[in-house]
Amino acid sequence: MIPTITAFEQSPDRGKGQARDMRVRWALEEVNQPYAVRLVSFREMKEPAHLALHPFGQIPTYEEGGLALFESGAIVLHIAERHAGLLPNEPDARARAITWMFAALSTVEPPLVELEAATLLEHDKPWYRQRLLLLEERARTRLDSLSRRLGAAQWLDGDFTAGDLMMIGVLFRSKESGILNAYPNLSAYVARGEARPAFKRAFAAQLAVFTDTQRQ
Ligand code: GTB
């Protein structure tokens, strides 16, 4: 059964891989699972058919037979659990890899997203400068700790896992902001993820959505 995911019909990032379907595509590519993509407009995302799949009216979603999932973390975990290659078989190592997925989504991603959102949406507010300093400090606190833990290792805990996929997926979004430049090991970690053939296929697939719409 080929799963179907949803992605933006017109991603505001113009195919830079910033939207969260990127990490789902990457996971599917890592396990060599073919998939279909249904593109949705911003209007369609808020209509009943899509809200039945995603209560918050967002992308990505994942449908496979009678199963419908939302939340990129839950989707990647589902893919990793159903296929070999993204989670170790040894139970403790598997639990640690899942822990890194949660760490990426609930400890590292929020301050990075807050910072990005402030830069995009709050730069004209009188209190912007002050808030920016605060948000940068919060983001750096997390990146400092992550950088310390990763050290000179290739991946977070032995071989590449869904924990790395999710952490790199999160960090990748902040690359353009320049905040990772102060962390050569994190920049190299993201580059190692980007160099994986599965990442490249996923990136090319989401970019093709943008280039196809440009051609029409
Ligand atoms: N926690 C959910 C998950 O991990 O799946 C968050 C899902 C989410 O934020 N989805 C966004 C969405 O559907 C797309 S990824 N937004 C539309 C809406 O809420 O109405 C966030 C995103 C969007 C666009 C860019 N960009 O263009 O740069 C980057 C990231």
Side-chain angles (χ1 to χ4, degrees):
M1 167 84 51
I2 292 192
T4 299
I5 67 166
T6 50
F8 283 140
E9 184 179 64
Q10 284 189 311
S11 185
D13 73 348
R14 304 166 66 86
K16 287 187 184 152
Q18 300 280 302
R20 289 182 176 88
D21 58 296
M22 176 60 203
R23 50 188 74 162
V24 172
R25 291 173 184 270
W26 185 11
L28 288 162
E29 292 288 354
E30 285 287 347
V31 301
N32 290 310
Q33 171 63 56
Y35 61 98
V37 183
R38 191 170 62 252
L39 301 176
V40 287
S41 65
F42 280 92
R43 184 180 46 77
E44 283 166 334
M45 277 191 284
K46 309 301 174 198
E47 287 177 350
H50 189 76
L51 287 170
L53 294 174
H54 196 309
F56 306 109
Q58 297 185 311
I59 59 99
T61 60
Y62 177 98
E63 292 156 83
E64 183 189 17
L67 175 69
L69 297 173
F70 60 97
E71 284 297 330
S72 60
I75 298 169
V76 170
L77 181 56
H78 172 77
I79 295 165
E81 282 185 324
R82 300 294 161 99
H83 298 83
L86 282 173
L87 287 174
N89 289 329
E90 197 277 310
D92 287 357
R94 194 176 180 92
R96 288 196 304 273
I98 294 170
T99 300
W100 277 117
M101 290 184 68
F102 277 83
L105 293 171
S106 51
T107 303
V108 178
E109 185 165 54
L112 293 177
V113 168
E114 273 295 294
L115 179 58
E116 181 191 308
T119 320
L120 286 173
L121 307 171
E122 297 168 357
H123 57 269
D124 56 345
K125 303 283 190 264
W127 35 260
Y128 173 65
R129 284 276 139 213
Q130 238 178 326
R131 178 160 154 77
L132 187 67
L133 289 176
L134 197 85
L135 294 177
E136 280 175 347
E137 191 187 321
R138 283 188 197 147
R140 288 209 184 94
T141 299
R142 294 299 184 230
L143 295 175
D144 286 350
S145 304
L146 183 66
S147 172
R148 219 174 303 121
R149 170 55 83 100
L150 180 68
Q154 295 272 303
W155 309 115
L156 286 166
D157 189 2
D159 291 339
F160 177 84
T161 70
D164 294 298
L165 185 150
M166 198 53 78
M167 190 64 83
I168 292 168
V170 165
L171 297 177
F172 172 77
R173 282 193 53 191
S174 294
K175 204 175 85 166
E176 216 175 77
S177 75
I179 197 166
L180 297 183
N181 295 346
Y183 305 92
N185 69 334
L186 294 184
S187 297
Y189 175 56
V190 173
R192 272 194 293 282
E194 289 175 86
R196 292 178 73 84
F199 181 100
K200 289 183 182 168
R201 290 195 298 272
F203 188 88
Q206 63 77 41
L207 177 61
V209 175
F210 172 70
T211 43
D212 288 351
T213 54
Q214 291 302 99
R215 255 186 249 120
Q216 285 160 16

